[in-house]
Amino acid sequence: MRFRHPDGSTVHLAYCTNVHPAENLDGVRAQLRDHCEPVRRRLGRDRLGIGLWLARDAARTLINDPAELRALRSELDSRGLEVVTLNGFPYEGFGADEVKYRVYRPDWTEPDRLAHTTDLARLLAALLPDDATEGTISTLPLAWRTPYDGDPEAARTARSALITLAQRLDALAEMTGKSIRIGLEPEPGCTVETTADAIAPLTDVGHDRIGICVDTCHLATSFEDPATALDALAAAGIRIVKSQLSAALHAEDPHLPEVRTALAAFAEPRFLHQTRTSTAAGLRGTDDLDEAVAGRALPDSTPWRAHFHVPLHAPPAPPLTSTLPVLRDTLARLVGGPAPLTRHLEVETYTWQALPAELRPRTRTQLADGIAAELTLARDLLVDLGLKELP
């Protein structure tokens, strides 16, 4: 979906396909047929943006077979779909029964991460619509904090990999006329957990093609204030490459037994749900939600937030809620001013099938309806901020 900002620039809104498991190219094509096109039809749009997730095997197939790449581009066109952004965070296995810590490997100290991201940049340059010259890719924020943190050699290796990537992106732009940028996506538990944590390493890399992806669920989980966070990035000259529009799980009164019971329903074995609380002594947290609800791992006199991407249009029932207000505030700062701070927005609720059983979509139709409802909410927010929806 495209929108005209009051300054005349185009802002793109997509939804991320990592909600649909696919490890190979056949799986990607099935996503387009069974999910993405039906969502577009529900929205009554001739064109729908998707934030494509290409796992390692799918990406390698496309890199090694130009005919397959041309066929994918043709299929996107024929189904009324367009791609200006990729989710390059998960490498493979995102549809596995248990993902947890695996999603952080390979990290930016490992050659496979650089190779895969280079592949994604080449593919995105070929998949961009004819009238688009800029593409973006989100990636993991260097590494999970252990064993990376405190290891100067790991930091040097990651910095070198990102500088090499930036040089490759420069060469790609020279060759294709397509400008591809990469955004580190701060996430709780990682070495870059917050937007503030991103400033030093991105300043150290010092290249315009390497910036930040602001995920509003992660921002909220770490109790970051949107205005403070975005102003600090601007002051440091850090480019906001893209933003993922998502909402975290919020518990106002975690000391109450009924709140603990409600939270426990969201503790599940597939994804990691880092949980945080903001205290007078600073941010406290656990790596997963079950650690928080099971005992005294976290202080419970202040609200808790969990890294669980809940549907934007359907917050959980009381006594829980979502951090949709943080999304609203962040979006207003991102695109509500005289010029957009980023032009690529991506709804990223990948946890539909991890919701408590009674909240999960039971059919493809229900899932498509839910994704369409999320995009409708995001569209309405953009229109309320003065953007005009384009055909």
Side-chain angles (χ1 to χ4, degrees):
M1 300 167 74
R2 297 186 182 194
F3 297 81
R4 182 74 67 208
H5 190 275
D7 78 340
S9 63
T10 300
V11 173
H12 293 264
L13 172 66
Y15 92 86
C16 187
T17 64
N18 64 352
V19 62
H20 313 303
E23 295 294 321
N24 55 40
L25 189 54
D26 286 342
V28 171
R29 291 198 175 102
Q31 289 177 343
L32 305 184
R33 179 191 68 233
D34 297 338
H35 300 287
C36 301
E37 187 174 6
V39 170
R40 178 184 65 78
R41 293 185 182 280
R42 276 164 175 75
L43 291 167
R45 305 288 305 174
D46 293 332
R47 174 173 52 189
L48 175 67
I50 57 172
L52 196 60
W53 174 58
L54 295 172
R56 179 199 61 177
D57 288 351
R60 290 310 302 168
T61 298
L62 292 168
I63 285 289
N64 292 328
D65 192 337
E68 290 281 21
L69 181 55
R70 289 192 297 270
L72 178 61
R73 169 63 189 275
S74 177
E75 183 166 0
L76 288 166
D77 291 341
S78 68
R79 295 192 183 280
L81 306 170
E82 67 176 12
V83 176
V84 300
T85 190
L86 301 180
N87 188 328
F89 197 135
Y91 179 73
E92 62 183 351
F94 202 60
D97 291 339
E98 183 177 332
V99 179
K100 298 289 184 181
Y101 295 94
R102 292 171 50 191
V103 75
Y104 306 106
R105 302 294 302 274
D107 61 34
W108 277 101
T109 68
E110 300 172 86
D112 284 348
R113 176 59 64 174
L114 173 60
H116 178 59
T117 310
T118 301
D119 285 348
L120 294 180
R122 292 171 57 191
L123 295 173
L124 181 55
L127 293 174
L128 285 175
D130 291 339
D131 62 348
T133 59
E134 295 185 354
T136 59
I137 303 171
S138 47
T139 188
L140 84 162
L142 300 183
W144 184 252
R145 68 181 183 276
T146 54
Y148 185 103
D149 285 3
D151 182 353
E153 184 59 32
R156 284 191 292 268
T157 300
R159 176 181 180 273
S160 177
L162 289 171
I163 291 173
T164 298
L165 176 64
Q167 294 167 345
R168 292 176 180 178
L169 296 177
D170 283 341
L172 183 64
E174 181 71 23
M175 181 174 61
T176 66
K178 307 292 187 180
S179 178
I180 309 298
R181 289 186 168 86
I182 309 299
L184 302 185
E185 181 185 333
E187 176 166 313
C190 293
T191 189
V192 174
E193 173 156 339
T194 67
T195 57
D197 294 335
I199 291 175
L202 288 175
T203 301
D204 197 28
V205 170
H207 200 292
D208 185 60
R209 296 197 187 278
I210 312 295
I212 193 169
C213 168
V214 175
D215 183 302
T216 58
C217 170
H218 303 172
L219 189 82
T221 301
S222 293
F223 287 86
E224 291 195 78
D225 172 67
T228 302
L230 300 187
D231 286 351
L233 292 173
I238 303 299
R239 178 187 286 267
I240 301 173
V241 167
K242 65 184 278 190
S243 180
Q244 289 171 326
L245 306 182
S246 53
L249 194 62
H250 180 94
E252 186 68 19
D253 299 299
H255 63 284
L256 297 177
E258 61 268 30
V259 175
R260 294 287 186 108
T261 299
L263 282 170
F266 286 84
E268 51 84 37
R270 185 173 175 188
F271 298 113
L272 207 59
H273 301 297
Q274 303 93 314
T275 305
R276 298 289 185 266
T277 188
S278 181
T279 72
L283 202 64
R284 296 278 301 277
T286 61
D287 280 359
D288 216 343
L289 180 56
D290 56 357
E291 302 170 40
V293 299
R296 300 185 178 276
L298 280 185
D300 60 9
S301 59
T302 50
W304 289 1
R305 290 177 179 173
H307 173 215
F308 195 117
H309 291 222
V310 297
L312 302 186
H313 68 293
L320 304 179
T321 186
S322 82
T323 61
L324 185 61
V326 176
L327 185 159
R328 292 176 183 270
D329 291 347
T330 307
L331 191 61
R333 300 282 300 195
L334 289 172
V335 301
L341 302 182
T342 185
R343 291 190 291 273
H344 289 180
L345 305 171
E346 178 184 66
V347 171
E348 196 214 13
T349 304
Y350 59 84
T351 44
W352 284 93
Q353 298 304 332
L355 290 167
E358 68 275 11
L359 302 178
R360 294 174 198 165
R362 295 183 297 276
T363 64
R364 289 178 185 169
T365 297
Q366 290 180 346
L367 178 58
D369 287 343
I371 293 170
E374 288 193 293
L375 286 166
T376 297
L377 182 149
R379 178 188 64 193
D380 292 346
L381 291 177
L382 291 172
V383 171
D384 288 346
L385 290 170
L387 281 72
K388 180 182 178 180
E389 188 175 6
L390 297 175

